[in-house]
Amino acid sequence: MPLKSLSHPYQGYSYAFLDEAAKRELRRTILKSIAIPGYQVPYASREVPFARGWGTGGLQATLAIIGPKDSLKVIDQGDDDSVNAANLRRFITSMTGVSTTTDTQKASLIQSRHRIPEEILDTYQTLVLQVPMPEPLRSVEKSRAVAQQMHADADYGLMWLKLYEQMVRYSQITLGTGYPSLVHGRYVMDPSPIPRWDVPKLHQARHLTILSAGREKRLYAVPPFTEVRPLEFDDIPYRVEDQKDWHCGKTGLKSKFMNELPKDDGSSSYEISDSGYVEKYLRQKEGESIRFAKPYYDDDGKFYRDDVFRELKDD
Amino acid sequence: MNLSLEPITLEPPRLVLEKPLLEAHKLNIYYGKLHVVADVSLELYRAEVLGVVGESGSGKSTLLRLLNLQEDVDSGDYHLAIEGYKANNLFALDRFAKREVQTRHIGIVYQSPHLGLRMHASSSGNVAERLIIAGERRYSALREAAKSSLAASEFPLERMDDLPRKLSGGMQQRVQLAKAIALKPELLLLDEPTTGLDVSVQALVLDTLKRLQRELGIAMIIVSHDLGVIRTLADRIMVMRHGQVVELGLADQVLEDPQHPYTQQLVHAKL
C-alpha cells in the first residue's frame, strides 16, 4: 500500500482556515467564557485575511466552532447583503463548504455585526457578535490594568456615575448602543454596539451568544438562560428606542427595529433593519408558506417573555 | 440651712468613661532609608478636633494618608471604634473591607481638589458617587442626598450641576467637603483644607467646618502648617517634625506654653 493512499489529500488550508492549534485555543477560550458569563477572556487573535475592525474577532469564533453540518447566516447591521457580511460569508463558505441561509430560523450559526435578529433564537442556535471595543469601563477608566481590577472587585460605581451624569445633563440616558449590562449579577459587559432595542433579547435567552473582539483580543459570552440586566436606576426604567410611530415602507409592519432613510423633501421613510425578516415576510405575502419563529417584539412593541408578550417596563 | 441629704453621685469625666474613636499605635513608615513617620501613636475621641502642625516634609500628610488607609504601613496598628470593625487592625484588612471603611466611615478633604474630585463629573455627581458606592440605586434619592449634603457644606445649590473646574477654589473645597460628609462618617480628615484660598474665603470655609463639627459631632484631624487655622478649630494639637511627634497637648497649652524648642520657634514665628 503506498504511503500516499494513507494520508489526507493535499489541502492548501486546514478546515475552516485556522490551524488546529488555533482552533483548539479558541474553543478553550469559548468554554472558559461560557463558564464565567460576561468575563472577558483574552486570546491570541490570529491573522485572518480581513483587516482588524472588520469582524476578525467574530470570524475567528465562527471558524473555531463551525462544522460541515452547520447552516450559516452572516449579517451586518441587520442586513444580509452588505459588503462586510457578503465578504465574510464568502470566505467562511469557501473555507468550510457549509451551506448559507438568510432565514434566521434555518441558521444554526449566526455571525452578526451590531444586531440581533427579530425572530426569537432557539437553543440549537449560536449567535456570534463582532465587538469593536469589549471594555465597558473604557469610557470611565482609561487604564486597562485599573479597569481589570475594577472588574475583579465588581466596582462599577463609575459606570453608575456616568448614567447619573447623563441624567443630570440631558434628563435621560443617552447611551445609544452597547448599553452596559450586568451579566449573571457579576460582570458588567459591553454587549457590542447592538442598539438598546436588542439588549433585552439577551436576558434569559435560549441561545448562546459569543462576543469576540479581534483587535482587542478578548472574548466573552452569554450562555443560554442567563440574567442580563441593563444598568438602570430603580426609579428610571430602561427604555428601548422610541419607534412607535414608524412603519416599514416595504412591509407596513411596525415595532421592529427600523432604519431611517432620509428623503429629498427632508422627511424620512423607514425600513426594517433585519433584511432577512423583510424577505421572509414579503415571500409569505406572495403566497409561499414560510415558517416564522415568534418575534421578540409583537406589533404593539410588547416584549415576549415567559410565553407572553408584556410591556418591557414590567419585565 | 437646708442641706440636701441625697447622696451625690459622682461620675468620672466623659473622656475617662468613653473609649476613643481612633487609636493608632506606633505607626512607622519608611520611604527607602527615609523614616517618614516614626513611632507615631495617637488617640482621638468622638467629636474632638486634633490639629497636626509641622513644617513641610514632617510627615503630616503621610500620616493622614495612612489614617485614610491609602498607604501601606511598615509597622503599627490602627483601630476605629466603628460598627463591625471594632476588633480589627484596619491595616490588616483586605482590599474590599478597606474600601468599605474608607467610603462609609472616613471622609477626607485634600488641599488640591484634583486629588479629591472627579473633574469630568458634575459637583452633585461627585457627591452622589459616594452614595452609589454605598449601594443607592434610586436617582431621586441620589439627587436629594447630593443636594442636602451640598447644602450642609454651604455650597450654592444653583451651581450643583456645574463641573468642578468651573468653580472657584473655595467652592471646590466645599464640594470636597460635601462629598466627605455625604455618608455621615465618624472621622473626617482634612489635609490643608484652606491653603491656597484667600483669607476671607478661608474664614468662611473654616466657619462651615466648625459648624459641621458642632452639628454632626464628627471627629476631625486637621493638618495644616498654618497655626491660625489650627487655633480656630483644634481642641488638641500635635506637633510633628522629621516624622516624629515632638509635642502633644491641649491647643491653648501648646500655643501659650510650648515646651519643645521647635514648637517655641513655630509659635513665635507666627505670633
Side-chain angles (χ1 to χ4, degrees):
Chain A
M1 191 183 280
L3 194 60
K4 209 175 172 186
S5 66
L6 288 172
S7 61
H8 285 298
Y10 174 78
Q11 285 176 297
Y13 293 99
S14 52
Y15 182 77
F17 185 74
L18 296 174
D19 60 85
E20 293 307 318
K23 278 188 287 196
R24 182 182 151 97
E25 191 230 348
L26 271 156
R27 287 171 193 151
R28 292 175 72 118
T29 306
I30 290 170
L31 284 177
K32 184 170 176 181
S33 70
I34 293 169
I36 320 171
Y39 173 71
Q40 301 164 38
V41 189
Y43 69 102
S45 182
R46 297 320 201 266
E47 287 284 336
V48 282
F50 285 84
R52 294 278 186 235
W54 290 87
T56 54
L59 177 66
Q60 288 174 78
T62 302
L63 292 175
I65 56 176
I66 201 165
K69 286 179 187 162
D70 268 314
S71 166
L72 176 76
K73 174 178 164 80
V74 185
I75 38 181
D76 172 7
Q77 298 272 24
D79 196 345
D80 289 284
D81 306 329
S82 77
V83 178
N84 190 207
N87 279 339
L88 285 167
R89 183 186 303 112
R90 192 170 54 222
F91 177 71
I92 297 168
T93 46
S94 70
M95 287 296 150
T96 59
V98 296
S99 63
T100 62
T101 175
T102 58
D103 185 346
T104 307
Q105 271 276 287
K106 289 181 183 148
S108 61
L109 186 58
I110 302 171
Q111 179 172 339
S112 169
R113 171 173 174 263
H114 302 190
R115 278 307 315 279
I116 297 174
E118 296 291 354
E119 285 173 85
I120 293 179
L121 300 179
D122 211 333
T123 42
Y124 64 89
Q125 291 172 306
T126 303
L127 177 70
V128 176
L129 281 168
Q130 302 166 198
V131 181
M133 190 53 234
E135 182 54 74
L137 295 172
R138 193 165 108 139
S139 59
V140 293
E141 174 54 62
K142 55 181 182 283
S143 157
R144 181 178 274 194
V146 175
Q148 243 163 348
Q149 178 147 53
M150 288 162 74
H151 278 297
D153 294 359
D155 172 12
Y156 295 122
L158 279 177
M159 215 65 228
W160 287 97
L161 182 60
K162 182 180 171 185
L163 300 183
Y164 174 91
E165 287 299 309
Q166 296 203 340
M167 285 301 299
V168 165
R169 246 170 257 178
Y170 312 113
S171 306
Q172 59 177 329
I173 289 167
T174 53
L175 287 170
T177 55
Y179 196 97
S181 307
L182 189 65
V183 184
H184 199 51
R186 177 61 183 84
Y187 287 101
V188 166
M189 73 159 186
D190 180 339
S192 92
I194 55 174
R196 276 176 290 165
W197 182 268
D198 286 349
V199 176
K201 298 177 182 176
L202 290 170
H203 176 65
Q204 293 293 348
R206 297 175 65 79
H207 67 276
L208 165 67
T209 309
I210 298 170
L211 301 104
S212 177
R215 187 188 53 201
E216 304 292 327
K217 303 180 172 58
R218 306 225 216 147
L219 188 148
Y220 46 110
V222 179
F225 305 105
T226 303
E227 291 269 316
V228 178
R229 295 288 189 188
L231 298 186
E232 57 181 340
F233 290 111
D234 293 348
D235 47 357
I236 296 163
Y238 178 78
R239 276 171 199 283
V240 298
E241 283 80 357
D242 184 11
Q243 303 185 340
K244 242 180 266 139
D245 307 324
W246 294 13
H247 289 263
C248 174
K250 280 184 181 169
T251 60
L253 291 173
K254 59 174 198 164
S255 292
K256 301 283 173 283
F257 193 74
M258 305 274 182
N259 292 333
E260 187 171 2
L261 309 171
K263 290 197 292 200
D264 286 345
D265 62 357
S267 64
S268 298
S269 64
Y270 307 100
E271 184 182 296
I272 290 179
S273 148
D274 185 348
S275 70
Y277 193 81
V278 173
E279 185 194 322
K280 275 171 81 173
Y281 186 83
L282 292 179
R283 271 171 38 212
Q284 191 189 39
K285 231 177 168 180
E286 282 166 16
E288 247 181 271
S289 86
I290 303 273
R291 222 170 59 100
F292 277 96
K294 276 210 169 55
Y296 285 103
Y297 291 88
D298 74 357
D299 292 342
D300 302 325
K302 286 183 179 154
F303 194 80
Y304 187 80
R305 179 93 75 218
D306 302 333
D307 305 327
V308 279
F309 286 97
R310 57 177 88 187
E311 295 290 339
L312 250 185
K313 61 174 183 291
D314 306 331
D315 197 27
Chain B
M1 290 291 265
N2 189 12
L3 277 174
S4 156
L5 292 175
E6 281 174 33
I8 302 158
T9 49
L10 285 173
E11 274 194 2
R14 188 173 65 90
L15 287 186
V16 177
L17 281 179
E18 226 177 69
K19 292 269 286 172
L21 169 72
L22 179 156
E23 283 175 283
H25 279 288
K26 291 205 179 287
L27 305 182
N28 277 291
I29 197 167
Y30 294 87
Y31 291 163
K33 278 184 188 156
L34 197 64
H35 205 170
V36 188
V37 173
D39 272 340
V40 174
S41 301
L42 65 122
E43 287 180 347
L44 183 72
Y45 288 84
R46 284 178 198 279
E48 190 192 16
V49 181
L50 175 71
V52 182
V53 281
E55 58 199 2
S56 52
S58 60
K60 309 178 302 255
S61 297
T62 310
L63 176 67
L64 217 57
R65 280 204 299 277
L66 273 181
L67 295 179
N68 193 35
L69 300 171
Q70 269 170 289
E71 221 162 299
D72 288 330
V73 77
D74 287 315
S75 71
D77 43 63
Y78 174 24
H79 295 268
L80 278 181
I82 49 177
E83 213 45 57
Y85 294 96
K86 284 195 174 112
N88 295 83
N89 173 14
L90 297 182
F91 291 133
L93 293 177
D94 62 30
R95 203 167 70 220
F96 302 95
K98 268 187 186 166
R99 202 177 64 190
E100 166 93 9
V101 173
Q102 240 177 13
T103 45
R104 281 181 191 268
H105 303 291
I106 305 176
I108 187 161
V109 174
Y110 298 93
Q111 175 181 355
S112 156
H114 287 267
L115 286 174
L117 297 179
R118 297 190 185 285
M119 286 300 170
H120 64 267
S122 65
S123 306
S124 65
N126 269 290
V127 181
E129 191 198 355
R130 282 259 154 166
L131 293 122
I132 291 171
I133 295 172
E136 180 59 72
R137 292 288 179 266
R138 285 165 303 160
Y139 176 71
S140 51
L142 287 173
R143 207 76 193 127
E144 278 312 306
K147 208 182 270 180
S148 69
S149 198
L150 282 166
S153 67
E154 287 160 28
F155 181 87
L157 286 183
E158 66 275 10
R159 301 199 62 182
M160 67 184 277
D161 293 331
D162 284 359
L163 296 184
R165 68 179 150 79
K166 290 185 184 162
L167 302 173
S168 70
M171 286 192 207
Q172 289 178 341
Q173 291 309 73
R174 287 179 192 281
V175 177
Q176 277 209 73
L177 188 59
K179 179 177 179 172
I181 59 169
L183 287 175
K184 311 253 178 307
E186 282 89 347
L187 175 64
L188 184 58
L189 306 172
L190 303 154
D191 190 359
E192 310 258 9
T194 58
T195 310
L197 303 180
D198 73 59
V199 186
S200 56
V201 176
Q202 192 171 344
L204 289 173
V205 172
L206 288 178
D207 261 3
T208 308
L209 279 173
K210 205 158 189 182
R211 189 183 52 77
L212 276 177
Q213 196 269 332
R214 229 179 15 244
E215 284 173 7
L216 303 177
I218 309 179
M220 289 186 186
I221 298 181
I222 177 163
V223 162
S224 184
H225 62 265
D226 185 346
L227 279 179
V229 172
I230 298 287
R231 181 192 282 280
T232 341
L233 283 175
D235 302 320
R236 279 194 303 147
I237 292 180
M238 187 166 106
V239 185
M240 286 185 76
R241 196 185 191 200
H242 301 323
Q244 287 168 321
V245 178
V246 294
E247 191 157 353
L248 176 66
L250 293 175
D252 293 347
Q253 195 184 329
V254 173
L255 292 175
E256 303 302 332
D257 183 19
Q259 300 295 313
H260 193 274
Y262 172 69
T263 320
Q264 288 170 356
Q265 220 178 18
L266 201 70
V267 171
H268 287 298
K270 182 70 196 174
L271 295 177

